[in-house]
Amino acid sequence: MGLLMKAAGIVTMILFGFVVPGVAAQVSQPSPASPERDVAVGQSGASPAQFAGPQPAEQTSGSSQAQPEAKLRRFSLPSGTSIEVSPEWIEREQMPLPPSPRLAPFAPQVTFLEFTALENPKMHSVLRIATTTNPFLGGDEAALDVQMHTAAGSGSGLADYLFYFFFSPPRDCLDGGSEAYRKAKSQPELPGQTVSPELSIRMDCKHAPTLADFYSRELSPGVEFQFTNGVERASGIYPEFYLTPMEKVEANGLTFYVFEAQGRMQLDLATVDHFNLPDETQGAQPDFFWAVGAPSPFPFFRDPQRKNLQVIQVAYAGLGLGPNKRDIFLRLLRQVHSP
């Protein structure tokens, strides 16, 4: 009996040798976590400490807090607008300000002042951050909601905003479609032939095996130039999307209005292979987001104390076996800061 009690005591000591540090990790102040790690916490229901990994029970001399597990990367625009993301995010080569000159005459009237494009190859996601002039002066929340939920192809709805500014077709495709349209429009009419009130030139694009071209294709596989009743247009060729209700988000002194377009078509094997995506993404659906924000309150009306206030536009596209990546985008959005 004495031997059994002694052995039980040894087992208890061994167990506590492993349990105590784990308890300290759960009750200690969690280290800063990346937006993607926060997503994992939110989806699984586990506590942040469980995902932060074991923390030392005692701090070394001169240190009052646990060191972060992974430092966040900060990407900043020249104006000081910035976002903090996990180290997996990388910045693409510098891109010209949208829209493309081929699309500018047909896009909503807004001037882009700054623009940066980020990609996360590990998550097969892309992120776009820009500052622009304010195209929503004189409106309100209800008017913005109605505008973004208008049908794709109307010229000012959510799909159109994404098409003109954030996930446009490749430049060579736009050039080819524009040139084909110009030639068709300039063809001389045959004797006795009346001028056709309609002209439509569709250009299906060839997309490179990159993340940027992948989401461009999923939003619109091409571009269509049209002339109808004296009005010229260039628009996307949109698949079916489900538009979710608008959401208002307050974070870091900013007010954002968030819109989502869920893709309804699942990826086939040919698409997965062409864009070098993992085999397990077959059957997944793309999810597009766009948010417009500014220092609170959102400037729907001119304020003499805040003249020429810029707005922040954030677009995101992700991929997964579920149609909704909203939690991921909202957590990224809460990492945006304004000077």
Side-chain angles (χ1 to χ4, degrees), residues 53-129:
Q55 302 294 324
E58 296 181 3
Q59 302 298 322
T60 58
S61 60
S63 175
S64 59
Q65 293 183 355
Q67 294 298 314
E69 180 182 334
K71 292 184 178 180
L72 300 181
R73 297 188 66 185
R74 178 186 292 268
F75 293 95
S76 299
L77 298 173
S79 66
T81 297
S82 65
I83 185 170
E84 292 182 320
V85 293
S86 64
E88 289 85 6
W89 287 93
I90 58 176
E91 188 171 9
R92 291 190 62 203
E93 67 278 4
Q94 190 169 2
M95 301 171 61
L97 293 175
S100 162
R102 301 296 189 184
L103 297 177
F106 318 105
Q109 295 303 301
V110 55
T111 301
F112 275 68
L113 306 172
E114 303 167 313
F115 184 90
T116 191
L118 307 179
E119 293 184 354
N120 188 326
K122 184 177 180 181
M123 294 179 62
H124 319 296
S125 301
V126 295
L127 185 66
R128 311 283 189 249
I129 305 175

Side-chain angles (χ1 to χ4, degrees), residues 4 7 13 42 58 64 66 109 132 143 167 185 222 248 262 337:
L4 289 176
M13 291 175 64
E58 296 181 3
S64 59
Q109 295 303 301
T132 73
F167 304 105
K185 188 179 178 184
K248 184 177 180 179
Q262 295 179 0
H337 302 270

Side-chain angles (χ1 to χ4, degrees), residues 30-241:
S31 61
S34 71
E36 294 82 7
R37 183 173 298 278
D38 285 344
V39 171
V41 173
Q43 290 176 343
S44 68
S47 68
Q50 291 174 302
F51 282 85
Q55 302 294 324
E58 296 181 3
Q59 302 298 322
T60 58
S61 60
S63 175
S64 59
Q65 293 183 355
Q67 294 298 314
E69 180 182 334
K71 292 184 178 180
L72 300 181
R73 297 188 66 185
R74 178 186 292 268
F75 293 95
S76 299
L77 298 173
S79 66
T81 297
S82 65
I83 185 170
E84 292 182 320
V85 293
S86 64
E88 289 85 6
W89 287 93
I90 58 176
E91 188 171 9
R92 291 190 62 203
E93 67 278 4
Q94 190 169 2
M95 301 171 61
L97 293 175
S100 162
R102 301 296 189 184
L103 297 177
F106 318 105
Q109 295 303 301
V110 55
T111 301
F112 275 68
L113 306 172
E114 303 167 313
F115 184 90
T116 191
L118 307 179
E119 293 184 354
N120 188 326
K122 184 177 180 181
M123 294 179 62
H124 319 296
S125 301
V126 295
L127 185 66
R128 311 283 189 249
I129 305 175
T131 59
T132 73
T133 55
N134 185 1
F136 306 108
L137 280 171
D140 55 24
E141 293 183 12
L144 177 62
D145 192 14
V146 170
Q147 176 184 337
M148 289 302 147
H149 283 87
T150 54
S154 64
S156 60
L158 176 57
D160 300 302
Y161 247 80
L162 295 171
F163 173 81
Y164 289 123
F165 300 126
F166 297 104
F167 304 105
S168 302
R171 186 175 64 181
D172 59 347
C173 184
L174 291 174
D175 290 343
S178 178
E179 181 63 16
Y181 171 76
R182 185 191 65 79
K183 288 182 178 180
K185 188 179 178 184
S186 62
Q187 284 182 354
E189 300 293 337
L190 297 175
Q193 182 178 354
T194 59
V195 177
S196 173
E198 295 188 2
L199 174 65
S200 178
I201 299 296
R202 170 174 172 149
M203 179 66 66
D204 292 301
C205 301
K206 293 182 179 179
H207 294 84
T210 65
L211 277 176
D213 273 24
F214 167 70
Y215 285 110
S216 169
R217 177 187 180 276
E218 292 304 302
L219 179 68
S220 171
V223 59
E224 188 170 17
F225 291 87
Q226 297 175 305
F227 181 83
T228 305
N229 296 325
V231 178
E232 291 184 310
R233 296 178 62 242
S235 63
I237 305 166
Y238 303 111
E240 182 182 359
F241 289 104

